[in-house]
Amino acid sequence: MATWQQGPHCVSSSGAIPRRVGVRRMVQSSGFGSGCHWCTEAVFQSLRGVMDVKQGFIASSPPHDSFSEAVAVTWDPALITFDDLIAVHLATHSSASHHKMRGKYRSAIYVHDAADGEAARRIIDMIAQQTDSDIVTEVFSFEAFKPSDTRFKDYYVRNRNGPFCEAYIEPKLALLRQRFAGLWLEDV
């Protein structure tokens, strides 16, 4: 979904008033579910053009209306495309695996309108053909969001040297630096 917001850092993750009032620009937003939202949050926070990442749980419409770990992402399409975000998303989790935890860790892209849903399906299909993969990631409507407990937000930033981050998040970020170097934020 595209909306107009102010400035390069429109709204903080707490929903506070914009830090800088400036040029109006078009931004887009969608949700991304994969594995643990600590990992997914760190991946999207590491990309240039991503303005906000809210870690939590997203629900769609029935029969997919149970909440699943995910992040809500807002980005500037002049700096990073929906195609790029989906490519990163598919590369940084088990997007071709039907593992037993898919209820809690739904491999999904949550969209706000039909046009974004069609675009997401087209991108997934294109990447599946290019990689000769059977991608299980599904596209759902973004119906509801519940934020994570504040103690888990910015998990990688606050626990970068912890065992979970070193074992699970850092390998995903290393893959980003290698395969998606042009999308990587320099100061991460």
Side-chain angles (χ1 to χ4, degrees):
M1 175 174 93
T3 58
W4 287 100
Q5 293 192 6
Q6 300 246 350
H9 298 286
C10 306
V11 180
S12 71
S13 59
S14 66
I17 295 182
R19 291 182 215 148
R20 185 178 115 190
V21 176
V23 178
R24 289 172 55 97
R25 63 172 63 188
M26 184 68 90
V27 296
Q28 290 181 280
S29 64
S30 288
F32 296 89
S34 56
C36 172
H37 51 207
W38 298 349
C39 296
T40 312
E41 175 190 57
V43 164
F44 286 101
Q45 286 177 333
S46 301
L47 300 173
R48 68 169 168 72
V50 170
M51 301 168 67
D52 191 33
V53 180
K54 289 183 172 69
Q55 181 199 114
F57 304 86
I58 298 177
S60 186
S61 54
H64 306 288
D65 54 344
S66 61
F67 282 92
S68 182
E69 290 192 23
V71 295
V73 178
T74 302
W75 71 92
D76 180 344
L79 301 175
I80 191 166
T81 67
F82 196 29
D83 296 46
D84 289 333
L85 292 169
I86 292 173
V88 165
H89 178 60
L90 296 178
T92 56
H93 80 284
S94 300
S95 60
S97 173
H98 284 288
H99 58 74
K100 65 181 178 178
M101 294 295 290
R102 277 292 173 224
K104 180 179 180 183
Y105 301 127
R106 193 177 290 142
S107 180
I109 299 168
Y110 299 92
V111 296
H112 296 283
D113 59 44
D116 284 349
E118 290 173 22
R121 285 182 194 88
R122 176 188 53 77
I123 297 161
I124 292 168
D125 289 345
M126 180 185 67
I127 292 170
Q129 287 179 350
Q130 290 173 349
T131 61
D132 194 29
S133 299
D134 181 24
I135 296 175
V136 300
T137 304
E138 297 182 84
V139 178
F140 299 117
S141 62
F142 190 126
E143 297 297 329
F145 178 80
K146 290 191 314 189
S148 294
D149 187 295
T150 55
R151 64 191 163 133
F152 298 122
K153 291 180 181 175
D154 297 317
Y155 190 84
Y156 178 74
V157 172
R158 294 182 299 104
N159 299 285
R160 179 176 306 244
N161 296 319
F164 182 88
C165 293
E166 288 181 357
Y168 296 103
I169 297 175
E170 190 52 47
K172 294 173 190 297
L173 298 180
L175 181 136
L176 272 180
R177 288 188 292 269
Q178 179 186 16
R179 289 187 47 199
F180 300 95
L183 301 176
W184 183 255
L185 274 174
E186 295 301 320
D187 59 347
V188 174

